[in-house]
Amino acid sequence: MKPERYRFCSSPEHGVSRREFLGGLAASMFWGVGLATDNVVMSEAQAAEVKKQGKRVIILYLGGGASQLETWDPKPGRPTGGPFGAIDTSAPGVRISELLPKLAKQMHHMAIVRSVNNAAMGADHDGTGMSIGRKKDPFVNYPSFAEIAAKELGRQDVKLPDHVELQMTDVFRYESKVPPSFLGAAVQPVMLTGGKRPENLDRLAELSGLDHSDREALRSLVGKRFERERRLPAAQGYNQTFQRLRGLMSSDELFDVDKSPPKDLERYGSGSLARHCLLARRLVEAGVSVVKVRHTWWDTHADNFEGHRVLTQDLDHALSLLLADLHDRGMLKDTLVLTTSEFGRTPAISSELGRDHWANAWSVTLAGCGVPGGAVVGATNEDGTAVTERMVTPADLHHTYYRALGIDPRKTYTVGSRPVYLADETGEPIHELLP
């Protein structure tokens, strides 16, 4: 339930339910997969090597727009700084908001980009500019970074979805207003809401296990014959979709966070973000390539400081545990962990003690996959109103994300006769964040 003491934007959202996703997935795959084929820039051997490396991505999406001044780029003592101070971290010389004491101890695993500017793409809540890393095109529905990563990193030897999104609630899904990309339904996320297991995974009570297996064997036989006769990407995608749905059914307990070891449940606690970060860890351990964790209500147009005091407690606890666990398990070297949003928040403080939307100078973080811990890229002026060093665009970030994952951002997909780069050609990777 939305807290009454905060006033947020009233932009409507229409989430795609798990039932709708599963119901339409096979049909969407059949008609949609053939829209895009790889124009081979990376060889098949190179592409196979990327998959074999077992890279994966966890995206923490702070929906509504987290304030950089109350998180990664504090300005204590300045008129724009607000009431909170800055603290030292485990990375020498790097200071972050005092609201993040646990993450301060993990800063040697993290890098901060303090000079993000996506103003040219608009500061609206659909988040498209940050998710696709380029301007919208009326003629091409570009895939998001998460969708492309799912396609490039997805492994057919793992009978699980390549892309899972974990949401607090069914609302505040701004990206749901964006039409499906040219990659089709195969790379769209399986949506899990409120920490609940997916619906419709159980076998019908009136159907015996033997009957269920026989039906699947018959479907597989007919499907493979259809695929051989047609020799079309859409036919192959249709069969792969059914294989992944079977994988969902056979991995039911994986999606139930309450099946985690009691010690983990106690450490992470009952907060939704913490439970979702624990589930994200379980999913990438099991072979899911891309997990997006959505945490909402950061749109603090009023009472920004009390709002962030509450919200950062969740972020501090959940992300610090996730990073520590991935490191302790030896997984952080192969897992890219991002914190991002649609935009930041204004340095100016309103009469309602709020901060509005601000795309001109704000921060994101990266960790894992060889990203040097403790690195800081870019800077803003003393009031945080402008970038003074190393401006970074969404295109630059996407080039960096792909490079960290071992994916060539100059690879192209072909839409009709039009080649489309994975990352916008205007961008360049942030080389100081790459191994």
Side-chain angles (χ1 to χ4, degrees), residues 38-113:
D38 288 350
N39 175 14
V40 182
V41 174
M42 282 197 297
S43 69
E44 290 297 327
Q46 286 175 303
E49 181 61 28
V50 169
K51 295 178 185 292
K52 190 171 69 175
Q53 289 173 4
K55 302 289 186 182
R56 53 227 154 195
V57 185
I58 297 175
I59 304 167
L60 267 64
Y61 185 86
L62 308 181
S67 169
Q68 68 282 4
L69 295 121
E70 277 69 59
T71 52
W72 315 115
D73 193 15
K75 304 293 182 181
R78 300 299 304 171
T80 58
F84 305 117
I87 56 174
D88 292 329
T89 70
S90 60
V94 179
R95 291 168 64 83
I96 62 175
S97 171
E98 66 175 332
L99 296 176
L100 303 173
K102 295 178 181 178
L103 280 170
K105 297 177 181 178
Q106 296 295 324
M107 191 51 59
H108 58 289
H109 293 314
M110 304 175 67
I112 304 173
V113 180

